[in-house]
Amino acid sequence: MTSEPEPTQRRASDIHAPSTAPEQLRGEVERIVYSGDETGYTVCRLRVPGKLEFATVVGSLPGIQPGERLELEGRWLNHTKYGLQFQVSTYTSHLPASANAIKRYLSSSFVKGIGPVMAGRLVDRFGEDTLEVIETDADKLIEVKGIGPARVTSIQTSWEAQKEVRNVMIFLQGHGISSSYATRIYKVYGHEAIGIVKHNPYRLAQDIRGIGFKTADGIAQNMGMDPHSPFRAQAVVEYTLNELAGDGHMFAPLDELVAACIERVELPEGLLLEGVEALKGYGRVIEDSEAIYLRGLYQAERGVADSIKALIAAPMIRKDFDTERAVSWAQQRMELDLTGTQVEAIEMAVTQKFSVVTGGPGTGKTTILKAVLLILEALSLKTVLAAPTGRAAKRMSEASGHEAKTLHRLLDFRPGEGKFHHDQDNPLTTDVVVIDESSMVDTVLMYHLLKAVPREASVLLVGDVDQLPSVGPGNVLRNILESEAVPFVSLIDIFRQGERSEIVQQAHRINQGLMPRWSKDLLRRSDFYVITADDPDRVADLIVELAAERIPRRFGFDPMREIQVLCPMNRGGVGSSTLNARLQEALNPDGPSVTRFGRTFRIGDKVLQTVNDYDKDVFNGDLGWVDGIEMDSGTMTVAYEDGEVSYDFSELDELLPAYAISVHRSQGSEYPAVVVPVTTQHYPLLQRNLLYTAVTRGRRLVVLVGSPRAIAISVKNRSTLERHTGLRKWLVE
């Protein structure tokens, strides 16, 4: 036991920040305040020996009951609403020993056939031996009034089931698995959990959300598994392929894959090659000319190529019309004087089965889209509009005047079924599909989209190929353009609506490999600024000052809702992780909070959803604000544009603080004001398309903070990290 004061001795003023050193607490569970069956998150009152007041304990304590004796490790936290609480990290549970504790334990009705009345009768008859009788000599239970043979069987069955749950949890935690993950594992594997983990702990990385190869490998080593186990070799191959997919690659050449595996785990090359062959035999990976694919990625990339070819080859069911006359009519209706390139793009879009319009900001993509929609409507053709994210879909709707959906909503994803409702067997009912921000669409999502497009329909992709490619694997838009297998028009002229914008002008200079121009007079009104500083610490200080004080004061932007810091990388002093913590402290330092997975969330915080959660109807890139934190129920509420979403504390790994986010995560979004650190500390990520993407996210104000040298490196570095993809090849085969 530590010398830390007990709950009755501590005051709120004693605790200004969460303690970091682990502390210990032991006692008997008096009452369960809240228990989440799905997650194991529990709030309970603990009777601490020698203390008059109960301690409040919160954390993942699945299945505990009143009367149990707990040995806890964790830390004391002071919640502004609920007071002093002990947050559990690990625990050990012991069955109750005293007659009163056993009575309270069995009164919880967790054992089928025993309620409060029957619990009293059992303890009256067997006293402190009650649990041992249930465990080892259940036939004696018939001596108690109200218990017959059928009830004895029911009690036995229920007791064994509860014991099995307990055994599984103890086993998993004994091998370094936290109670939160142990709950997830038991939920997936049930009573087979111990057997599965003992046989092949690397399955955890495949089946359990939040457990990756490194965690599974640590568990395996903790269990004494042979470091040269074939399971380990297979697991590291899959892990490496998934890691490479996270970097955008569809496949890995065999020699690069083996080398990348050895970088992660020191295993013999021969064992790794055997691992690849075993995975091929299981159908988990596919080899194509020494290109090793995860099975799903191979099917997706081949499927995209086959669908595009099939769409182009299928006849277009559309009545003939005078294209030139239609474009002229659209010009008159829109009261615009279109350029030759714009006319070419519109004619292509309304006559081709599959086509692409690409161009940067201010080049007229929205104008072309409006004209195309006008003509298609006049031809009585049904058109659906979609974009990869909710924010991009909203922008598309506002710009076009037509409803646009996210691709997931368009395809009607069914969470319960784990698949899209619309596919080749249930295609979309439409004549034309228009996708905006198509550079963001990864190969897997494009595969599902094209499967659902009827072959007689046509597809128009609109996007900026010079922006960063999709977060997910592949480089679909660029591959399609490079293949020259489909008609496309590249827009390069900047039109009047963008000429007055320094943001647009400087974005195009960056894209052309030219240094942006900026005035050294910071008092001059503009929408594009560069503030120079070489020292990363000074850059970080300036960013916090700009976002929290200077920009709101001078331009009137709301620092929480209108200013977004975009970082080339997550780590380092000017990475998103550090800046998030500093901006949170500057903008939202106080109030109820919860800390999970190394992140602290407060009411009022800006947060970003990082995965597609179809059950909650929130998707990667959705921005929201923490609206409520309920410690008793273990839930946090986030307000999004489309409504509120509740998260269990065990699900908070889906969220990131969003005062500062990566440039990659900003794709498809625009913000009134953007602040971007650019330092040589970011050297590996100083690339032209990254800086270009960051600048084009700002609608009314962009401020770069950093060194001119780092900006110059970014502008000159046209070579992006090449992605291994096969789409271009398969489109021209």
Side-chain angles (χ1 to χ4, degrees):
M1 296 289 286
T2 68
S3 59
E4 193 69 55
E6 293 294 338
T8 54
Q9 301 172 288
R10 299 185 68 168
R11 301 167 298 173
S13 59
D14 296 329
I15 306 173
H16 300 285
S19 61
T20 55
E23 303 175 80
Q24 294 173 330
L25 185 69
R26 73 175 55 177
E28 184 179 288
V29 179
E30 177 67 22
R31 181 167 65 91
I32 306 296
V33 178
Y34 171 83
S35 179
D37 292 336
E38 293 292 307
T39 64
Y41 183 85
T42 302
V43 180
C44 70
R45 304 285 188 244
L46 197 73
R47 185 187 296 273
V48 180
K51 305 300 172 186
L52 296 175
E53 293 184 11
F54 298 131
T56 299
V57 173
V58 300
S60 186
L61 299 160
I64 67 161
Q65 303 296 331
E68 288 189 50
R69 294 169 294 148
L70 301 181
E71 295 177 12
L72 309 165
E73 189 170 278
R75 58 178 182 163
W76 288 102
L77 299 173
N78 190 61
H79 192 277
T80 55
K81 182 176 179 181
Y82 299 106
L84 200 61
Q85 302 175 327
F86 191 84
Q87 184 175 300
V88 178
S89 55
T90 61
Y91 76 99
T92 303
S93 172
H94 304 279
L95 291 174
S98 71
N100 283 335
I102 292 171
K103 185 184 292 185
R104 286 190 293 111
Y105 182 68
L106 293 175
S107 294
S108 305
S109 301
F110 75 98
V111 177
K112 192 175 179 180
I114 302 177
V117 174
M118 191 56 66
R121 293 178 186 174
L122 285 166
V123 173
D124 287 344
R125 173 65 181 87
F126 301 112
E128 295 179 356
D129 297 328
T130 300
L131 298 183
E132 186 178 348
V133 170
I134 295 173
E135 172 81 26
T136 63
D137 200 4
D139 289 341
K140 283 187 176 180
L141 297 177
I142 205 163
E143 298 172 10
V144 177
K145 182 182 176 183
I147 297 183
R151 181 171 279 194
V152 169
T153 301
S154 175
I155 291 172
Q156 278 183 301
T157 304
S158 181
W159 179 262
E160 288 299 318
Q162 292 295 326
K163 187 173 72 171
E164 183 62 25
V165 172
R166 184 182 294 273
N167 289 341
V168 169
M169 302 302 288
I170 291 171
F171 169 81
L172 293 172
Q173 291 186 64
H175 289 288
I177 303 173
S178 72
S179 55
S180 297
Y181 286 131
T183 305
R184 289 184 187 177
I185 293 166
Y186 185 77
K187 192 177 168 186
V188 173
Y189 296 146
H191 299 317
E192 298 178 359
I194 294 176
I196 290 171
V197 175
K198 279 184 175 179
H199 178 66
N200 181 10
Y202 295 99
R203 277 193 56 181
L204 297 172
Q206 300 171 16
D207 302 334
I208 310 300
R209 180 175 64 85
I211 295 184
F213 170 79
K214 292 181 179 178
T215 301
D217 195 43
I219 294 166
Q221 301 311 303
N222 184 278
M223 294 173 58
M225 179 168 275
D226 182 359
H228 286 182
S229 163
F231 291 138
R232 193 181 194 212
Q234 295 163 27
V236 78
V237 168
E238 278 198 281
Y239 165 65
T240 303
L241 284 171
N242 276 298
E243 287 278 291
L244 294 171
D247 292 333
H249 299 290
M250 293 300 298
F251 66 83
L254 183 58
D255 56 344
E256 290 185 22
L257 173 60
V258 171
C261 288
I262 293 172
E263 284 182 10
R264 291 162 171 79
V265 176
E266 291 186 14
L267 287 175
E269 182 178 329
L271 184 63
L272 291 166
L273 290 171
E274 290 174 9
V276 172
E277 290 300 315
L279 291 169
K280 284 165 59 179
Y282 300 145
R284 297 186 67 86
V285 304
I286 290 175
E287 183 174 3
D288 181 272
S289 304
E290 293 201 343
I292 310 300
Y293 284 83
L294 292 167
R295 181 181 182 86
L297 294 186
Y298 178 84
Q299 291 174 332
E301 193 162 56
R302 288 304 300 254
V304 170
D306 292 343
S307 291
I308 291 174
K309 290 178 178 179
L311 279 165
I312 293 172
M316 180 182 289
I317 303 178
R318 187 174 302 175
K319 62 185 179 183
D320 292 333
F321 66 100
D322 188 328
T323 309
E324 186 176 338
R325 185 179 173 188
V327 175
S328 178
W329 169 80
Q331 280 193 90
Q332 292 175 2
R333 286 286 302 271
M334 296 172 67
E335 298 181 350
L336 289 173
D337 186 18
L338 299 174
T339 68
T341 306
Q342 288 179 312
V343 169
E344 181 188 351
I346 296 166
E347 289 180 346
M348 173 193 70
V350 298
T351 59
Q352 299 296 321
K353 285 295 299 301
F354 198 106
S355 58
V356 179
V357 174
T358 181
T363 57
K365 295 193 297 293
T366 299
T367 299
I368 290 167
L369 178 59
K370 285 180 177 178
V372 168
L373 293 174
L374 199 60
I375 293 169
L376 294 175
E377 190 175 14
L379 294 170
S380 300
L381 295 172
K382 183 177 180 181
T383 305
V384 295
L385 279 63
T389 67
R391 293 175 74 86
K394 186 177 180 181
R395 285 175 50 212
M396 190 183 190
S397 295
E398 293 169 348
S400 67
H402 291 69
E403 181 190 14
K405 299 179 178 179
T406 64
L407 285 167
H408 288 89
R409 287 205 172 113
L410 176 67
L411 299 175
D412 189 12
F413 188 83
R414 304 290 177 87
E417 302 171 22
K419 64 179 184 179
F420 294 101
H421 182 59
H422 290 292
D423 56 17
Q424 67 271 27
D425 298 321
N426 183 31
L428 296 165
T429 306
T430 188
D431 301 304
V432 185
V433 178
V434 182
I435 306 300
D436 198 13
E437 296 286 359
S438 54
S439 64
M440 294 178 60
V441 184
D442 63 39
T443 304
V444 175
L445 187 53
M446 184 64 76
Y447 167 62
H448 287 292
L449 169 67
L450 296 181
K451 278 202 303 180
V453 176
R455 291 295 173 254
E456 66 273 12
S458 58
V459 174
L460 171 63
L461 303 183
V462 181
D464 186 351
V465 74
D466 292 317
Q467 289 198 29
L468 290 169
S470 58
V471 175
N475 202 344
V476 176
L477 185 62
R478 183 169 293 281
N479 288 167
I480 290 173
L481 293 174
E482 289 175 344
S483 75
E484 299 185 352
V486 304
F488 70 91
V489 171
S490 295
L491 306 172
I492 56 175
D493 297 321
I494 305 173
F495 295 97
R496 221 164 263 173
Q497 60 264 37
E499 286 179 356
R500 294 187 298 272
S501 169
E502 284 292 318
I503 295 173
V504 172
Q505 295 290 333
Q506 304 315 319
H508 282 275
R509 285 186 63 82
I510 292 168
N511 199 34
Q512 293 162 14
L514 303 172
M515 280 289 284
R517 294 172 177 157
W518 67 90
S519 172
K520 294 184 180 179
D521 180 10
L522 296 180
L523 297 178
R524 184 180 70 86
R525 278 281 178 173
S526 177
D527 61 3
F528 182 88
Y529 297 88
V530 176
I531 299 177
T532 59
D534 292 324
D535 179 60
D537 291 338
R538 177 57 181 157
V539 171
D541 291 342
L542 281 168
I543 285 177
V544 175
E545 185 183 332
L546 284 161
E549 300 174 17
R550 290 170 60 178
I551 292 176
R553 185 171 60 242
R554 184 173 183 193
F555 296 94
F557 291 117
D558 183 333
M560 296 289 283
R561 294 186 175 267
E562 295 184 306
I563 301 173
Q564 185 61 60
V565 176
L566 301 180
C567 301
M569 61 196 299
N570 295 319
R571 298 174 184 167
V574 285
S576 60
S577 296
T578 299
L579 288 174
N580 261 315
R582 293 193 59 181
L583 287 164
Q584 184 189 50
E585 186 61 28
L587 295 169
N588 192 29
D590 302 310
S593 67
V594 58
T595 300
R596 288 292 187 277
F597 306 99
R599 304 160 192 159
T600 296
F601 300 97
R602 291 194 181 101
I603 290 179
D605 275 345
K606 180 163 59 173
V607 294
L608 188 80
Q609 178 75 14
T610 63
V611 297
N612 293 329
D613 191 324
Y614 304 106
D615 291 317
K616 293 184 174 63
D617 202 28
V618 288
F619 302 96
N620 186 11
D622 285 352
L623 200 65
W625 285 264
V626 178
D627 198 39
I629 296 174
E630 290 293 331
M631 299 302 294
D632 277 355
S633 61
T635 59
M636 186 173 88
T637 304
V638 177
Y640 294 98
E641 287 183 357
D642 295 331
E644 291 192 339
V645 174
S646 180
Y647 294 82
D648 190 274
F649 286 171
S650 67
E651 300 171 322
L652 295 185
D653 55 341
E654 295 184 7
L655 296 170
L656 281 175
Y659 298 99
I661 63 175
S662 70
V663 178
H664 285 82
R665 293 193 181 278
S666 73
Q667 291 182 83
S669 298
E670 283 187 343
Y671 312 93
V674 162
V675 183
V676 187
V678 189
T679 74
T680 52
Q681 194 179 75
H682 298 139
Y683 192 86
L685 293 172
L686 293 179
Q687 299 159 8
R688 185 187 301 176
N689 65 347
L690 187 140
L691 182 60
Y692 171 73
T693 300
V695 170
T696 57
R697 298 307 89 203
R699 197 162 58 242
R700 293 158 53 194
L701 178 68
V702 171
V703 183
L704 305 185
V705 185
S707 73
R709 179 171 176 263
I711 294 172
I713 293 171
S714 298
V715 168
K716 291 176 183 176
N717 184 13
R718 191 175 182 181
S719 64
T720 59
L721 296 172
E722 282 298 316
R723 296 186 168 192
H724 291 305
T725 63
L727 180 59
R728 177 183 174 183
K729 176 188 74 173
W730 286 330
L731 282 171
V732 298
E733 281 184 349

